[in-house]
Amino acid sequence: MKQTEFKNVDPPMWVAWNQAKASIRVRFLRMLITSLGVALGIAFFCSMQVLSSTPTHGGMQSQAQMQWLTGTSLVMCLVGVTNSMLMSVTERYREIGTIKCLGASDSFIVKVFFLEALLLGALGSLGGSLIGSLLIALVMSATTGSPGLVPIVHAIVVGTLVGILMTVLAAIAPAVQAAKMPAAAALRVDV
Amino acid sequence: MSLLDQREVVVRTVDVVKQYGEGEAAVRALNGVTCEIYTGEYLSIMGPSGSGKSTLFNMIGGLDKPNEGSVFVNSVDIAQLTPKELAFLRCHTIGYIFQTFNLISVRTALENVTLPMLFAGLTPEEADERGIKLLDLVGLVHRLHHRPSELSGGQQQRVAIARSLANNPSIILADEPTGNLDLKTGQEIIDLLRSLNEERGVTIISATHDHKMLDVSDRIFHIRDGQLALVETREELDKHKALA
């Protein structure tokens, strides 16, 4: 019998990057919707941040109430992002099984989903932060007075970082699980 | 007996048991299968649905691990391999063909064929060159940059066959490769597999319901209720045919 000699070769990062890019390009509409889901959640979170950063917004609500509202918006955003990312990974179990059959290591599969989520999360979060912060700033300028530049920039930076972190975490967890599955099991999954 | 006995063994299974589920609900898909598969043969695994045919196929291909017993591929016990080594084995030693083609939908025909080569560490230029040769071999050199959705079923299966050959595997595992194809296309795929088997000496192991497949097989394993019920050789098959 021939003896197999095992070597430890992992494909370079650009192989995973190309796979992630192809996936986003071909599923553009699907990805756009996922990204929009992220953007909306983050937009809400950012607008709440800007709103709560200025105590002089008509004196309608107390600081504690505003913090509670910001917290709630973060949770809503978290649920939305997790849901869309979970869906986009689980509907691709078969693809994961196939790539495993072709000889992909578990880490390659995780890398592909990590890169996809990073790109999607970055675009969605940045877009959402800009939209949310600027819109609420506009509304505030027209009614109670401009919130100033600092809280807006702060909200955009925090919103983008939080968004990217949530998107990546929400995608990595199911991707790691799928990568660890025996290939046969991943191929059997019907979603 | 026959020449087959002197041949090298490429796959050996010893008392393989595979059980799904636990306790009372447990189902034994394989119940002690011991067999040897020789280098360069064209083997068909036959059996009704639920007989354990696909499970045996998954065991041989290192897609799943047995609960008891061992599977040796090229004298390596696959149950002992780490996930990384298993990935290496799948990449270099085994090529897979599926009933549902399972091409990567977001990549072109050429990219589907070259992906396993990139996993194996080839440069993109080497991979493209070899990929084009393989697609030429299966008669699809004019469809290099089409995505699977732009190809017919038969064409997709040809791409899958080219992909399975990517890293010159010693074994090709085909799970009902003609199951989703019409008669004529199915016959073309069978002819292609047989010619690859003869010209390249690659071992072909195919789970099938298709009786056309039997005409080209060197041996046939009949699986019943998770056990190897009968092994037929070419000579026996020809004898039956002559009698009938």
Side-chain angles (χ1 to χ4, degrees):
Chain A
M1 267 204 225
K2 263 198 312 191
Q3 185 77 39
T4 312
E5 256 184 74
F6 292 102
K7 274 169 275 172
N8 212 344
V9 276
D10 230 5
M13 197 64 172
W14 62 262
V15 180
W17 173 241
N18 279 358
Q19 178 70 21
K21 245 181 13 193
S23 175
I24 291 181
R25 198 175 58 232
V26 175
R27 300 192 176 93
F28 188 71
L29 211 67
R30 176 77 180 79
M31 294 286 185
L32 198 69
I33 293 170
T34 308
S35 200
L36 214 64
V38 176
L40 284 176
I42 293 294
F44 183 44
F45 172 58
C46 281
S47 60
M48 284 302 127
Q49 264 184 286
V50 175
L51 204 60
S52 64
S53 66
T54 46
T56 55
H57 52 276
M60 305 267 288
Q61 282 143 330
S62 71
Q63 193 67 20
Q65 271 176 316
M66 279 319 296
Q67 272 167 3
W68 188 80
L69 213 55
T70 314
T72 318
S73 72
L74 188 65
V75 172
M76 276 177 62
C77 167
L78 183 78
V79 173
V81 172
T82 312
N83 185 41
S84 22
M85 291 316 290
L86 267 176
M87 280 298 295
S88 76
V89 178
T90 46
E91 71 188 9
R92 285 163 63 190
Y93 272 5
R94 260 184 94 83
E95 184 184 314
I96 293 173
T98 308
I99 295 182
K100 281 196 91 161
C101 286
L102 301 183
S105 59
D106 297 0
S107 66
F108 175 83
I109 291 161
V110 176
K111 263 187 236 165
V112 171
F113 281 97
F114 170 77
L115 289 171
E116 271 184 39
L118 194 67
L119 210 65
L120 253 151
L123 289 176
S125 311
L126 187 65
S129 305
L130 288 172
I131 294 170
S133 311
L134 297 179
L135 218 62
I136 196 77
L138 261 174
V139 172
M140 283 169 79
S141 313
T143 52
T144 56
S146 166
L149 200 61
V150 178
I152 295 178
V153 174
H154 180 263
I156 290 174
V157 171
V158 171
T160 308
L161 291 180
V162 166
I164 292 175
L165 195 72
M166 282 195 311
T167 319
V168 169
L169 283 181
I172 285 293
V176 168
Q177 199 201 354
K180 276 193 186 153
M181 263 189 203
L187 283 171
R188 258 198 310 269
V189 175
D190 270 320
V191 185
Chain B
M1 266 213 329
S2 68
L3 273 172
L4 284 177
D5 294 325
Q6 294 150 25
R7 283 205 194 161
E8 274 184 46
V9 174
V10 67
V11 177
R12 172 183 288 132
T13 70
V14 182
D15 287 323
V16 168
V17 172
K18 179 68 185 180
Q19 190 167 310
Y20 292 105
E22 306 247 321
E24 298 236 325
V27 176
R28 280 210 162 184
L30 289 179
N31 200 355
V33 175
T34 301
C35 68
E36 285 187 340
I37 299 167
Y38 305 108
T39 303
E41 75 172 323
Y42 194 119
L43 176 84
S44 288
I45 303 174
M46 291 276 286
S49 312
S51 58
K53 183 173 43 139
S54 292
T55 310
L56 180 61
F57 179 90
N58 288 340
M59 294 296 144
I60 294 171
L63 301 182
D64 215 342
K65 286 186 174 175
N67 296 103
E68 291 168 36
S70 346
V71 177
F72 298 92
V73 175
N74 278 343
S75 49
V76 175
D77 183 353
I78 60 172
Q80 307 296 325
L81 298 180
T82 63
K84 254 212 150 104
E85 288 169 333
L86 206 54
F88 185 92
L89 183 85
R90 284 197 281 254
C91 185
H92 291 262
T93 313
I94 308 173
Y96 301 86
I97 301 170
F98 301 93
Q99 179 175 4
T100 48
F101 322 132
N102 286 16
L103 295 177
I104 300 159
S105 56
V106 299
R107 308 306 295 267
T108 64
L110 183 60
E111 286 169 340
N112 262 282
V113 178
T114 54
L115 195 60
M117 301 179 196
L118 299 176
F119 291 151
L122 260 65
T123 66
E125 294 77 27
E126 289 169 333
D128 278 352
E129 192 186 328
R130 204 201 281 179
I132 292 169
K133 269 191 201 145
L134 285 173
L135 281 167
D136 190 26
L137 183 75
V138 298
L140 279 179
V141 79
H142 57 297
R143 288 279 186 277
L144 294 179
H145 303 295
H146 287 65
R147 277 211 300 277
S149 56
E150 298 157 348
L151 299 171
S152 71
Q155 287 174 331
Q156 289 189 46
Q157 197 60 303
R158 280 165 188 275
V159 175
I161 291 174
R163 185 178 68 179
S164 73
L165 291 168
N167 292 320
N168 290 320
S170 33
I171 307 164
I172 287 186
L173 276 171
D175 192 1
E176 311 230 3
T178 59
N180 276 13
L181 300 172
D182 62 67
L183 282 178
K184 185 170 162 286
T185 321
Q187 186 63 51
E188 283 168 14
I189 294 297
I190 292 172
D191 293 342
L192 179 60
L193 286 174
R194 182 73 223 194
S195 71
L196 290 172
N197 168 250
E198 280 167 357
E199 285 158 23
R200 299 185 153 229
V202 52
T203 312
I204 295 193
I205 304 169
S206 146
T208 188
H209 280 307
D210 190 341
H211 282 269
K212 291 195 299 302
M213 210 63 159
L214 306 186
D215 296 336
V216 298
S217 304
D218 295 322
R219 288 196 303 161
I220 297 164
F221 284 3
H222 291 270
I223 306 283
R224 293 267 184 290
D225 303 321
Q227 288 181 314
L228 188 55
L230 176 70
V231 180
E232 278 183 297
T233 62
R234 185 76 256 156
E235 294 97 77
E236 287 166 349
L237 283 166
D238 289 340
K239 226 181 271 170
H240 285 309
K241 241 188 180 172
L243 287 174

